[in-house]
Amino acid sequence: MAARSVVALVSVAEVVAGDLADHLERRGHDVRQARQPWEAESLLSAGGIDVVVVGDDVTQADGRELLKRYGGEGGSDFILICRPRDLVDKVLALELGAADVVESPLNVRELAARIGGLLTRRGRNTQELIVLENATVDLRSAMVMHRSGAEDQLSPGQVALLRLFLASPRKVLTRDDIIAAAPAENADAFDRSIDSRIVRLRRKLDTETITTIRGAGYRFDPPRSD
């Protein structure tokens, strides 16, 4: 299994840091936090940080100093949060090699998406994304992200069941196939309980791609990409 990517939050406002950390951790990333620049020195000097987010509670000068010391070639990717209209600071940060500069107040989802983009370019994004009709599933973090913006968490048994269907597209799987390859999370794993597992998985994924083949089993038909 690939190592989890690591994101450091440096002096990010507490109300934002909590939501952002929760958002990132549920998507399979490790999050480290430093409240003050001097705490960040110890954290960043140890290495192993993929992305550093520097909040606007830090002076722009301190943020740029961290960027010069720990960013650049072979270092961490930096995202600096700046206050609106700080155009000069924004340009200076980009000239020093910041990967991105965003203005506050910010949207946590947007910032998480920017971080995900940086990790993808680094080859460190641990997502395994499956696109269905009404939702996108990240298998590694067991997260279902609905088009409505709502999110659901898959259980380990549901992830195993979905992986089984993904590995056998358009193939009818019998109840015995499912019990053998994706056992339930409790002892009640036989016969009609399989029907209940399928129903719960369909409901959570909001999908019609898993169909019941009467008297035979179940089949996964991947959605067509237009």
Side-chain angles (χ1 to χ4, degrees):
M1 181 181 293
R4 290 160 65 96
S5 53
V6 182
V7 180
L9 308 182
V10 177
S11 297
V12 175
E14 191 170 345
V15 63
V16 174
D19 287 345
L20 182 58
D22 180 64
H23 209 75
L24 293 170
E25 286 168 350
R26 285 187 289 123
R27 281 158 177 75
H29 311 301
D30 283 338
V31 178
R32 315 274 171 79
Q33 296 194 46
R35 302 296 181 191
Q36 301 295 333
W38 61 265
E39 293 178 298
E41 293 280 351
S42 175
L43 176 62
L44 300 182
S45 63
I49 305 296
D50 296 296
V51 177
V52 181
V53 180
V54 181
D56 58 6
D57 284 350
V58 169
T59 67
Q60 292 298 316
D62 284 341
R64 290 195 298 271
E65 184 61 30
L66 289 174
L67 171 60
K68 285 191 288 186
R69 294 187 63 181
Y70 301 106
E73 189 69 28
S76 305
D77 280 327
F78 272 69
I79 296 177
L80 273 63
I81 301 172
C82 71
R83 292 182 172 84
R85 298 182 298 278
D86 285 347
L87 179 60
V88 173
D89 289 322
K90 185 173 184 177
V91 170
L92 284 173
L94 291 171
E95 287 179 343
L96 286 171
D100 205 352
V101 180
V102 296
E103 290 186 356
S104 61
L106 50 84
N107 180 284
V108 168
R109 282 178 178 271
E110 179 187 353
L111 182 53
R114 289 172 184 259
I115 293 168
L118 289 178
L119 291 169
T120 296
R121 291 196 287 277
R122 274 180 161 253
R124 297 286 291 127
N125 203 333
T126 58
Q127 292 180 325
E128 295 179 60
L129 298 181
I130 308 301
V131 180
L132 300 173
E133 316 98 293
N134 302 305
T136 298
V137 185
D138 180 356
L139 282 173
R140 192 173 292 274
S141 63
M143 181 70 64
V144 184
M145 296 164 281
H146 297 278
R147 288 187 178 179
S148 65
E151 295 178 345
D152 275 314
Q153 193 79 37
L154 296 175
S155 70
Q158 288 174 328
V159 171
L161 184 55
L162 180 54
R163 285 188 184 278
L164 176 61
F165 281 120
L166 292 169
S168 308
R170 301 183 181 85
K171 176 183 176 181
V172 177
L173 299 175
T174 67
R175 287 187 173 86
D176 287 341
D177 291 331
I178 293 172
I179 291 170
E185 295 164 86
N186 55 53
D188 184 24
F190 298 98
D191 207 20
R192 291 297 172 182
S193 66
I194 298 296
D195 294 341
S196 299
R197 291 180 65 195
I198 299 295
V199 168
R200 288 194 294 271
L201 181 62
R202 282 197 196 112
R203 186 181 298 128
K204 191 166 281 190
L205 298 177
D206 190 16
T207 185
E208 299 297 328
T209 58
I210 302 172
T211 56
T212 302
I213 308 302
R214 193 173 182 83
Y218 308 90
R219 186 183 67 217
F220 172 65
D221 296 307
R224 292 182 300 175
S225 55
D226 297 325

